[in-house]
Structure formats: structure tokens, C-alpha cells
Amino acid sequence: LGSARRARLPPGEMGWPLVGGMWAFLRAFKSGKPDAFIASFVRRFGRTGVYRSFMFSSPTVLVTTAEGCKQVLMDDDAFVTGWPKATVALVGPRSFVAMPYDEHRRIRKLTAAPINGFDALTGYLPFIDRTVTSSLRAWADHGGSVEFLTELRRMTFKIIVQIFLGGADQATTRALERSYTELNYGMRAMAINLPGFAYRGALRARRRLVAVLQGVLDERRAARAKGVSGGGVDMMDRLIEAQDERGRRLDDDEIIDVLVMYLNAGHESSGHITMWATVFLQENPDMFARAKAEQEAIMRSIPSSQRGLTLRDFRKMEYLSQVIDETLRLVNISFVSFRQATRDVFVNGYLIPKGWKVQLWYRSVHMDPQVYPDPTKFDPSRWEGHSPRAGTFL
Ligand code: HEM
């Protein structure tokens, strides 16, 4: 780096050769004290909000404040995505986690807009409503206990498969879902590609996912060639039809990687967050009673001529929405995200050298007592009339 640039680096330590900060990072999370990792930097180097370390085989700057995260997230000239190689190999080198910036922007616009708008959400509601109701009924009828997270993931997976693939037969859905379970075990493990290790299993699961999705894509292309339409346009159709300004279409590998990523991102976090919100409500009977009363009042307000819920009904769920925001804050499923500096850039007065990786510690922001007083307490009422400052709710 040269001594002048080195002098401007954030405080921290690069750790042991090759291992760097990974051992301390994994130890903190595996021992159930995830905040211990960043706390050790704060203890040793003060509250500078940025620290240097060596993680996932790269020199890395850890950003732990709302202002720092906001700066990095908003500066598209100085930062691009910078996920670890092992994650890219699992999610897909042609998916959002690795594609070039312009392509990322284009495909993101193409795929996010149609699933986010008022009309799209209104269109998905009846299916979501039916899927949730039938899942709740099946669990109740089951008699014995059910594995709650597994069932929730199954339920959210059914919904995401409907949105992205226009549904799939039960065997395909189950095959995909089993492979995703194995993929996600590997995503949270050390990237050791040896027999018996979770990462190896995850790479195998990815190959299975690609094969299943290739089959679905081949069928879709064949049906389209014959002019047969399943009715409606799902994400697979949108990706097949997408063209850039030069008329170039996405090839099969690109379509499949984007789908591997979306199907995973769309069910895994939602399944987990639903589980945690339920756990917190069960642990807090007064909050549960308040959330239930709100639901019952909404049900009473629905005219008898209306079938199911509408988006307008959801907008009335003020307390439940506070419960969900508080769950998202406290649970921190996506506790960190990854970027890479494309040029020398300063954050909080410290240098992030060109080429270095950047980790945005959403978890530290959500657990900062200056942003959220008494941060370990589950307190949905902190969201009452509260609009979070940019960078404080990630
Ligand atoms: C509780 C629910 C969810 C949480 C907490 C969550 C959280 C996150 C976070 C923190 C990121 C990383 C952002 C970044 O690095 O810039 C992310 C990325 C992403 N999520 Fe979610 N997510 C959730 C639900 C969903 C759903 C339902 C979908 C799809 C329908 C989805 C699709 C994606 C995609 C495609 C990306 C990559 C975005 C990109 O690189 O442009 N997520 N999510």
C-alpha cells in the first residue's frame, strides 16, 4: 500500500496468515454471542465505526455505523457488490451477487418492479392467503407437533415458486426445496470442499437445483415455441423475453442463476422472520393479545361480500407491522452485506483502499444503543410513529 496510504487505514488487525479474522468471527457466532466479534474491535480500538481485518481470504474494512453504511450503500461509483467467492459459487456467478454493475441494474429493474407494485401484490394476495390458510389448517389437523421452521419454509417456498415459476408440480417443488435446505447449510459453513463437509453438500445441491430449473426452462421454451401458454406471465417468461438495448437476450445460465438466487432469497428470509415473529409473540402474551385484537377488528371490518384479504386490509395492520419491523431489527437475519471498493475512498475519515472488500455490519447498527435504546429488548412500540433515519434500519 505504501506508508502514506497505510497510515490512513482504519484501526484493526489482519490476524493470522490465511485465517485472518475468520476464527474470531466464527467463534462469536457459533458460541451464540454474535455481537462479541465487533465488540472486541470496539474494546481494543475505540468507537471508530470502521475497522480493518482479513476475512474470506481478502483484506476487508468492517463498517459498523449507520452513517458509514449509508455512505457505502449510496455511492455506486466507489463500491460494487463484493460477496465472498464461496457464496458466489453457491448462489451463481451469473446472479446479482456477481454480475457487472450495469447488468445488475438492468436485471434488477426488470425483475423487481413487476413483483413489488400495488397491482402485483394485489394479484399475489389470493394465492398467499389460500396457501397460508391451508398450511395453518394442515398443521392443526396434523395432531402431533410439527417442525415449525421447516413447515414455514415449505409454505414460503410454495408462494415464491408460484410467483416466479407460475407454480410447479409437488415433486418438483419438494426436490427444489430439499436442495435449498442443503444449499443453505453450506452457505453458513466454512468453504471446505471435501467429502463430509457442508459446503461440499451445498455445491452438490446447487448442481441439482440448476438441473431442475434447466428442465423447467427447457419445457417452457418448448411450450413457447409451440405457442402454448400457461396463462399469465411469470418471472421465467419475463427473463426469457428480456432484451438489452442491443437486442441481446439472457442465456440459460443467466436465467437459471437469477432464478436460483430469487427462489432462495424469497423464501429463506421470509420463513425465518415469520418463525421469529411468532416466537416473540408467544413469549410476550400482552403483545400477542394486542396483535390478535387488531386482526379481529380488521376481520370484523371486512364486508361480507369480500372474499379474502385485500392490500387495503394489510395497510390497517399497524401493530403487526411494528412487530415485524422489530423482529427484523432484533433478529438480523441478514446481519452483514458485502461490497468492494472500486477506488480509494474515505469513510469516517479512514481510507478504504481500491480493491479491498467492505462488510456492512447491519447487525451493529440495529444493536447500537444510541440508535435503538435498550437494543436487546423486543419492543415493537419503539416503531410507533417512528420513521427510521436513512441507514439506521437495514
Ligand atoms: C424478511 C425478508 C427479507 C430480508 C430480511 C431480506 C434481506 C436482504 C438483504 C440484507 C439483502 C442484501 C442487500 C445488499 O447486499 O445490497 C438482500 C438481498 C436480496 N434480496 Fe432480500 N430480504 C428479504 C426478503 C426477500 C424476498 C421476499 C425477496 C424476493 C422476492 C428477496 C430478494 C432479494 C434479492 C434478489 C437480493 C439481491 C439484491 C441485489 O443484489 O440487488 N428478499 N435481502
Side-chain angles (χ1 to χ4, degrees):
L1 281 184
S3 58
R5 284 166 85 218
R6 205 172 309 133
R8 308 210 58 181
L9 285 174
E13 60 172 12
M14 303 311 266
W16 293 86
L18 295 176
V19 179
M22 287 307 286
W23 179 243
F25 167 73
L26 289 170
R27 198 179 46 214
F29 276 79
K30 297 275 178 200
S31 66
K33 294 187 188 125
D35 298 316
F37 178 62
I38 294 296
S40 88
F41 283 93
V42 176
R43 205 171 43 248
R44 286 175 295 156
F45 307 109
R47 287 194 174 274
T48 53
V50 273
Y51 306 96
R52 70 172 188 273
S53 184
F54 190 84
M55 302 199 52
F56 297 98
S57 317
S58 303
T60 300
V61 170
L62 319 174
V63 180
T64 65
T65 59
E67 288 68 28
C69 288
K70 182 178 140 198
Q71 181 190 334
V72 175
L73 287 170
M74 293 186 69
D75 191 344
D76 288 342
D77 290 332
F79 300 98
V80 290
T81 51
W83 292 81
K85 276 198 195 103
T87 311
V88 172
L90 292 181
V91 181
R94 316 287 290 273
S95 75
F96 287 1
V97 295
M99 64 174 58
Y101 179 71
D102 284 348
E103 193 70 355
H104 185 162
R105 224 178 143 110
R106 188 171 77 84
I107 305 294
R108 172 129 191 203
K109 204 162 141 202
L110 178 87
T111 52
I115 54 171
N116 266 334
F118 185 90
D119 290 344
L121 293 173
T122 304
Y124 299 143
L125 261 182
F127 181 78
I128 296 177
D129 201 350
R130 276 200 308 279
T131 309
V132 174
T133 313
S134 66
S135 303
L136 287 169
R137 254 194 216 114
W139 303 337
D141 293 346
H142 181 265
S145 57
V146 294
E147 238 179 63
F148 194 43
L149 180 60
T150 307
E151 293 300 326
L152 283 173
R153 287 178 65 247
R154 226 163 247 169
M155 184 182 86
T156 50
F157 194 63
K158 241 188 244 167
I159 293 169
I160 208 73
V161 165
Q162 176 68 27
I163 293 173
F164 281 78
L165 302 181
D169 61 70
Q170 207 177 355
T172 307
T173 309
R174 277 290 158 101
L176 285 169
E177 188 205 299
R178 263 197 304 272
S179 296
Y180 272 119
T181 304
E182 201 173 352
L183 184 86
N184 284 308
Y185 277 135
M187 206 99 84
R188 298 186 195 105
M190 293 272 270
I192 301 172
N193 186 5
L194 288 174
F197 283 86
Y199 186 71
R200 172 89 144 210
L203 287 169
R204 227 177 15 237
R206 175 178 157 81
R207 286 195 291 275
R208 285 199 305 272
L209 287 170
V210 169
V212 174
L213 288 172
Q214 181 72 62
V216 177
L217 181 56
D218 290 345
E219 271 173 30
R220 186 68 63 94
R221 284 201 193 281
R224 289 167 66 95
K226 283 193 214 139
V228 184
S229 154
V233 175
D234 60 22
M235 192 58 72
M236 179 82 95
D237 290 313
R238 279 183 217 286
L239 291 169
I240 291 173
E241 279 161 17
Q243 291 185 46
D244 65 16
E245 51 291 344
R246 275 167 278 143
R248 192 189 78 87
R249 289 181 186 269
L250 298 174
D251 62 29
D252 283 12
D253 291 348
E254 288 169 305
I255 294 177
I256 288 171
D257 276 4
V258 169
L259 285 171
V260 167
M261 169 200 71
Y262 258 120
L263 289 177
N264 197 38
H267 87 285
E268 186 62 15
S269 345
S270 333
H272 275 84
I273 217 71
T274 312
M275 177 197 76
W276 280 110
T278 313
V279 168
F280 289 136
L281 285 177
Q282 194 154 25
E283 283 174 352
N284 294 281
D286 51 330
M287 297 176 192
F288 178 65
R290 190 169 162 193
K292 187 161 176 263
E294 181 181 73
Q295 295 295 307
E296 286 166 349
I298 292 169
M299 291 307 285
R300 279 195 301 275
S301 74
I302 293 178
S304 54
S305 55
Q306 180 183 313
R307 286 173 63 90
L309 290 165
T310 64
L311 217 49
R312 250 195 332 275
D313 301 320
F314 273 92
R315 302 244 156 99
K316 290 186 211 151
M317 298 181 188
E318 272 180 36
Y319 187 66
L320 191 64
S321 149
Q322 290 167 21
V323 168
I324 292 168
D325 284 349
E326 181 65 347
T327 307
L328 287 166
R329 180 194 70 81
L330 186 55
V331 169
N332 285 302
I333 290 173
S334 300
F335 61 91
V336 73
S337 81
F338 300 87
R339 294 291 185 272
Q340 183 162 13
T342 53
R343 57 173 164 81
D344 278 10
V345 53
F346 287 87
V347 173
N348 282 15
Y350 293 101
L351 172 70
I352 302 181
K354 177 178 175 179
W356 278 41
K357 295 288 174 95
V358 181
Q359 286 185 4
L360 302 172
W361 274 76
Y362 297 168
R363 185 178 178 93
S364 298
V365 176
H366 292 173
M367 301 307 277
D368 181 344
Q370 280 167 7
V371 183
Y372 297 100
D374 201 359
T376 55
K377 185 175 170 206
F378 180 74
D379 179 11
S381 67
R382 69 169 91 235
W383 295 94
E384 216 167 297
H386 171 71
S387 313
R389 230 171 355 104
T392 57
F393 187 45
L394 298 154

